[in-house]
Amino acid sequence: MTVAGHRRRTLDQVTQALAATAMGREPPDLLLRGGRLVNVNTAEVLEGVDVAVREGFIALVGDAGHLPIGPHTTVVDVAGRYLAPGFIDTHLHVESSMVDVRSFARAVLPHGTTTIACDNHELANVFGLRAVELFHAAAAGLPLKVLLAMPVCVPSIPGMEDAGATLGPEEVAEAYRRGWAQLQGEQMNFPGVIYGDPQVHAITAASLRAGVVPTGHYASPALHPGLQAFVAAGLVACHEGTTPEDALARARLGCYAQQRYGTAWLDLPRLVRAVTERPGLDTRFFTIVTDDVTPATLVREGHMDRAVRAAVAHGVPPLVAIQMATLNAAQLLERSRWIGTLSPGRAADILVLRDLAAVAVDQVYADGVLVAQDGRLTVDIPPYAYPAWALRSVHLAPLAADDVRVPHRGARATVRVIRVVPGSARTVQETAVLAIRDGA
Amino acid sequence: MTVAGHRRRTLDQVTQALAATAMGREPPDLLLRGGRLVNVNTAEVLEGVDVAVREGFIALVGDAGHLPIGPHTTVVDVAGRYLAPGFIDTHLHVESSMVDVRSFARAVLPHGTTTIACDNHELANVFGLRAVELFHAAAAGLPLKVLLAMPVCVPSIPGMEDAGATLGPEEVAEAYRRGWAQLQGEQMNFPGVIYGDPQVHAITAASLRAGVVPTGHYASPALHPGLQAFVAAGLVACHEGTTPEDALARARLGCYAQQRYGTAWLDLPRLVRAVTERPGLDTRFFTIVTDDVTPATLVREGHMDRAVRAAVAHGVPPLVAIQMATLNAAQLLERSRWIGTLSPGRAADILVLRDLAAVAVDQVYADGVLVAQDGRLTVDIPPYAYPAWALRSVHLAPLAADDVRVPHRGARATVRVIRVVPGSARTVQETAVLAIRDGA
């Protein structure tokens, strides 16, 4: 099938069909038989569960023995295998994977990621609101559910950059009104939030008035009182924690701790200690995100499956880890009546796993359509025909050695250095003494 | 203060003020000092926690030592006492208490109920859509948060009643559009849902398209497959369970189990066994509701405090019981960024409890205003001036013995009897043999 053929209905269109199938009056389109249900609602694994799908939605989760099998019903025996909801990544940037959203969908669907909330601020920094509209258009019709998180830091440091656009509260409100964006992307200007920058607060206000969830980026180790002010200002999700204390503080304040496991930012193994060291803690405010993942990581290691696997490897019970990547994420997005759980009336985004702890994904269904099997895409996702204005937008003269040459007299120079912290987005400012060669 | 003086702002209006207070730049309006925080986000009780309030919202939950105390700051020492979110009742009928919504607010606020989602279908059965508009108007300006659950069963059994109005999908959609109703009330016609009544499905579709939560009433002991079809058709909350199996089945299917503890329906003690007998079960889909409570119960025993107390008395850990009545309920209503947790940026609906298990309410704050203390209202809630058309609407000639006389020949008659099941809304059909006296 082609993407043009991926039909996604809304629940209001299909309640009659779902009731008819659940009651056994009409056959399902798809019947997964006899699986081990990963019930994220109650945190149980239930044995011998059938899942019946109709019109892209789940009609029944339980015993489907009374359902008629029609000529167009696909029946899949999933005995011994696990059925879990598709993974939801509530914070990532497609641009970090250096591909467009359609190639991204091809890459992540086989890994069980069926919904992404992506902030396309790299594109928006070049093209402004046009980038938001274009991204929305390019994502249309994908079997991957794409919620666009409105970029709100364009430019990210006003006055310090030569960004191609400036997005203010009016543009943000327009993106919601036109249906291009479905939540607020990361507010990275946390000093602006806590010290009262009017423009920053006006943007959050626009999101709140539009009824969308505002998300944040509080990248300071100073939890008190800064994080309090940040959350009080309406920003209820943050992926910048690096310690167990960071994650716990966010969850306690009712701010979703988006535990990050990207290519270069490997915060999750430390963060999950907030959970693993506190049996009995309610973990509903803990989620898992990837933020930035390179193509090499996607191809060699995976996407949300890799992150969930890491959580399990670091001691999170598999059921809890899967909740973090499904129901908790759906509740963060305020869309748990649509995604995040294998329950009647929800989108049939279903993973068939042969091993729970290893998060070994055999099959991926999106809206009831088999989109990947054994790690390979089973649907055709053609490229998007981008308009000419959106292409060849990087204008940079070739770099020469002289472009980065800093002349200096003498034999040595003391310079400021950014020290990379392996696995972390945080950096450390240091100084180093360098030898001067050829006057630079 | 009068109700006219109860100011309720929206978060978008006050993010600057909240950040300024959290950071210590501006004083709070209210500071509760040194309490034991019932943290429903993580299911922990945290000691020595301050809660700072500004403009009706929570600015900070933690150490407020850095905050300035202004001339208008109210400081309350809550050392040794518990701070919990105000209770949320997601399903009740004000009419069952035989008072209007303003008198109802006077009655329940001292018991810690700060939000109600009420289906006013008794009034709507008399006045139709006018009743919905009128109820909305009468509830305006109350310190009690009133979410109107749109009546969708008017009349409740079409063709069998002489109701004063008929509400269909158009009226339901209009109520949402005009802002009179904020969720869909109980769909009681569960046969219509599962057997595909077009009108019933059109009403749910109207709710789904408006983006509001549809709630239900599945009053059958036959869980399979009827409940599956009911939930698949979009109805994600139900208060009609009477057994632990009923409650568990709902939660497992992603349908909120609204455990009922009213005056005559005392289902909760049985229902909670679904939780108490399953340690480790995720309980986020369990809530507590009252449905129908008489004035005598309200005055003598309480409201949501009584129901939470009953849950604790029947073995639910106090923290879990309070989650059921707060955060879980707010998530059901898809309003957990506003109510249901004592967290920054949320409405300052705060209970000060002197005993957790006994749910002994010392003080109740609504939007940061002290509305009740020691069981007594501390604000003035004047009556609403109802229009003449809404009054004297019960037209019934005086009843005489002859009105209920059923003539019969012979000495005895076999009659059908409705047997009341004590504490349950369910009834049993039986037959009885009655002696005939004076030909009837």
Side-chain angles (χ1 to χ4, degrees):
Chain A
M1 57 160 273
T2 64
V3 160
H6 187 82
R7 187 178 60 170
R8 181 176 299 147
R9 302 211 160 172
T10 53
L11 182 59
D12 61 286
Q13 300 171 322
V14 300
T15 59
Q16 286 271 18
L18 295 178
T21 291
M23 293 302 288
R25 295 193 300 274
E26 298 175 10
D29 300 327
L30 169 69
L31 180 58
L32 304 175
R33 253 199 199 138
R36 314 170 91 170
L37 176 71
V38 179
N39 191 318
V40 293
N41 305 324
T42 50
E44 300 172 288
V45 172
L46 302 172
E47 301 287 335
V49 173
D50 308 322
V51 175
V53 175
R54 181 86 191 278
E55 301 285 0
F57 286 84
I58 295 170
L60 176 143
V61 180
D63 178 2
H66 62 294
L67 299 200
I69 303 301
H72 302 294
T73 303
T74 302
V75 180
V76 181
D77 178 2
V78 290
R81 290 186 289 174
Y82 296 87
L83 301 174
F87 296 133
I88 302 168
D89 190 334
T90 62
H91 180 70
L92 65 80
H93 307 282
V94 169
E95 297 98 314
S96 301
S97 299
M98 296 173 240
V99 293
D100 88 323
V101 66
R102 299 176 85 85
S103 295
F104 190 82
R106 296 178 61 90
V108 301
L109 281 168
H111 293 290
T113 305
T114 53
T115 298
I116 62 171
C118 54
D119 180 331
N120 74 330
H121 60 193
E122 315 296 357
L123 295 177
N125 264 294
V126 177
F127 290 122
L129 206 50
R130 285 195 301 169
V132 177
E133 180 179 12
L134 181 64
F135 196 95
H136 175 71
L142 283 177
L144 179 71
K145 293 181 173 66
V146 178
L147 303 176
L148 188 50
M150 184 62 197
V152 292
C153 296
V154 176
S156 61
I157 307 180
M160 292 282 284
E161 298 177 58
D162 56 350
T166 298
L167 295 182
E170 295 74 23
E171 289 79 17
V172 167
E174 184 180 349
Y176 300 139
R177 202 168 51 240
R178 291 182 179 266
W180 298 337
Q182 289 75 42
L183 67 154
Q184 181 192 299
E186 56 175 327
Q187 179 50 266
M188 298 191 291
N189 187 356
F190 64 91
V193 173
I194 69 178
Y195 295 115
D197 182 300
Q199 180 82 347
V200 168
H201 281 265
I203 284 175
T204 310
S207 297
L208 292 170
R209 281 195 293 270
V212 310
V213 180
T215 71
H217 159 121
Y218 181 80
S220 165
L223 292 174
H224 196 80
L227 184 62
Q228 298 266 358
F230 193 73
V231 181
L235 301 154
V236 292
C238 176
H239 54 274
E240 288 294 336
T242 62
T243 67
E245 293 72 28
D246 287 349
L248 186 62
R250 282 161 176 75
R252 280 179 172 166
L253 292 178
C255 173
Y256 283 88
Q258 298 171 303
Q259 303 169 106
R260 180 164 53 185
Y261 200 68
T263 293
W265 335 129
L266 302 169
D267 302 301
L268 182 140
R270 281 187 305 283
L271 299 177
V272 296
R273 286 174 38 208
V275 170
T276 56
E277 294 175 359
R278 279 175 192 76
L281 195 80
D282 193 319
T283 53
R284 74 179 88 183
F285 277 94
F286 290 80
T287 62
I288 294 175
V289 303
T290 63
D291 202 351
D292 305 292
V293 176
T294 64
T297 301
L298 282 181
V299 170
R300 293 183 197 147
E301 301 177 45
H303 191 240
M304 284 294 284
D305 56 339
R306 163 181 175 263
V308 173
R309 206 176 292 135
V312 174
H314 287 86
V316 180
L319 262 167
V320 174
I322 289 176
Q323 283 181 312
M324 290 174 175
T326 58
L327 181 58
N328 300 3
Q331 291 188 323
L332 183 168
L333 296 170
E334 299 182 355
R335 281 173 169 83
S336 61
R337 283 188 286 127
W338 183 36
I339 51 174
T341 167
L342 297 188
S343 301
R346 271 65 162 203
D349 294 351
I350 307 171
L351 310 184
V352 181
L353 308 170
R354 63 180 176 280
D355 186 291
L356 200 58
V359 197
V361 181
D362 274 359
Q363 290 191 322
V364 180
Y365 294 87
D367 301 309
V369 173
L370 180 72
V371 294
Q373 172 131 11
D374 303 326
R376 298 204 165 270
L377 208 66
T378 54
V379 290
D380 182 29
I381 298 182
Y384 184 74
Y386 286 94
W389 63 260
L391 303 173
R392 304 186 183 283
S393 61
V394 179
H395 307 293
L396 195 65
L399 281 174
D402 269 2
D403 290 321
V404 292
R405 176 185 167 91
V406 183
H408 193 80
R409 291 178 192 169
R412 295 177 185 284
T414 301
V415 298
R416 293 169 67 206
V417 170
I418 301 172
R419 175 179 287 279
V420 170
V421 180
S424 173
R426 301 264 169 96
T427 52
V428 181
Q429 177 183 316
E430 294 187 355
T431 56
V433 177
L434 298 185
I436 299 297
R437 210 164 49 196
D438 300 333
Chain B
M1 57 158 273
T2 64
V3 160
H6 187 82
R7 186 178 61 170
R8 182 176 299 145
R9 301 211 160 172
T10 52
L11 182 59
D12 61 286
Q13 300 170 322
V14 300
T15 59
Q16 286 272 18
L18 294 178
T21 291
M23 294 301 288
R25 295 193 299 273
E26 297 175 10
D29 300 327
L30 169 69
L31 179 58
L32 304 175
R33 253 198 199 139
R36 314 170 90 170
L37 176 72
V38 179
N39 191 318
V40 293
N41 305 324
T42 49
E44 301 172 287
V45 173
L46 302 173
E47 302 287 335
V49 173
D50 309 321
V51 175
V53 175
R54 181 87 191 277
E55 301 285 1
F57 286 84
I58 295 170
L60 176 143
V61 180
D63 178 2
H66 63 294
L67 299 200
I69 303 301
H72 302 294
T73 303
T74 302
V75 180
V76 181
D77 178 2
V78 290
R81 291 187 288 175
Y82 295 87
L83 301 173
F87 296 134
I88 302 168
D89 190 334
T90 62
H91 180 70
L92 65 81
H93 308 281
V94 168
E95 298 98 315
S96 300
S97 298
M98 296 173 238
V99 293
D100 88 322
V101 66
R102 299 175 85 85
S103 294
F104 190 81
R106 296 177 61 90
V108 302
L109 282 168
H111 293 291
T113 304
T114 52
T115 298
I116 62 170
C118 54
D119 180 331
N120 74 330
H121 61 193
E122 315 297 357
L123 295 177
N125 264 295
V126 178
F127 290 122
L129 206 50
R130 285 195 301 169
V132 178
E133 180 179 14
L134 181 64
F135 196 96
H136 175 71
L142 282 176
L144 179 72
K145 292 180 174 65
V146 178
L147 303 176
L148 188 50
M150 184 62 197
V152 292
C153 296
V154 177
S156 62
I157 306 180
M160 292 281 284
E161 299 176 58
D162 56 350
T166 298
L167 295 182
E170 295 74 23
E171 290 78 16
V172 168
E174 184 180 349
Y176 300 138
R177 202 168 50 240
R178 290 180 180 267
W180 298 337
Q182 289 75 43
L183 67 155
Q184 180 192 300
E186 56 174 328
Q187 179 49 266
M188 298 191 291
N189 187 355
F190 64 91
V193 174
I194 70 178
Y195 295 115
D197 181 299
Q199 181 83 345
V200 168
H201 282 265
I203 284 175
T204 310
S207 297
L208 292 170
R209 281 195 293 270
V212 311
V213 181
T215 71
H217 158 121
Y218 181 81
S220 165
L223 293 174
H224 196 80
L227 184 62
Q228 298 266 357
F230 193 72
V231 181
L235 301 154
V236 292
C238 177
H239 53 274
E240 288 294 337
T242 62
T243 67
E245 294 72 28
D246 287 349
L248 186 62
R250 282 161 176 75
R252 280 179 173 167
L253 292 178
C255 173
Y256 282 88
Q258 297 171 304
Q259 303 170 105
R260 179 165 53 184
Y261 200 68
T263 292
W265 335 129
L266 302 169
D267 302 302
L268 181 140
R270 281 187 304 283
L271 299 176
V272 296
R273 286 174 38 209
V275 170
T276 56
E277 294 176 0
R278 279 176 192 76
L281 195 80
D282 193 319
T283 54
R284 74 179 89 183
F285 277 94
F286 291 80
T287 62
I288 294 174
V289 303
T290 63
D291 202 350
D292 305 292
V293 176
T294 64
T297 301
L298 282 181
V299 170
R300 293 182 197 146
E301 301 177 46
H303 191 240
M304 283 295 284
D305 56 339
R306 164 181 175 264
V308 173
R309 207 177 291 134
V312 174
H314 287 86
V316 180
L319 262 167
V320 174
I322 289 176
Q323 283 181 313
M324 289 174 175
T326 58
L327 181 58
N328 300 3
Q331 290 189 323
L332 183 168
L333 296 169
E334 300 182 354
R335 281 173 169 82
S336 62
R337 282 188 286 128
W338 183 36
I339 51 175
T341 166
L342 298 188
S343 301
R346 271 66 162 203
D349 294 351
I350 307 171
L351 310 184
V352 180
L353 307 170
R354 64 180 175 280
D355 186 291
L356 200 58
V359 197
V361 181
D362 275 359
Q363 290 191 323
V364 180
Y365 294 87
D367 302 309
V369 174
L370 180 71
V371 295
Q373 172 131 13
D374 303 326
R376 299 204 165 268
L377 208 66
T378 54
V379 290
D380 182 30
I381 298 181
Y384 184 74
Y386 285 95
W389 62 260
L391 303 172
R392 305 185 183 283
S393 61
V394 179
H395 307 294
L396 195 64
L399 281 175
D402 269 1
D403 290 321
V404 293
R405 176 184 167 92
V406 182
H408 192 81
R409 291 178 191 169
R412 296 176 185 284
T414 301
V415 299
R416 293 169 67 205
V417 170
I418 301 173
R419 175 179 288 279
V420 170
V421 181
S424 173
R426 301 264 170 96
T427 53
V428 180
Q429 177 183 317
E430 294 187 356
T431 57
V433 177
L434 298 185
I436 299 298
R437 209 164 49 195
D438 300 334

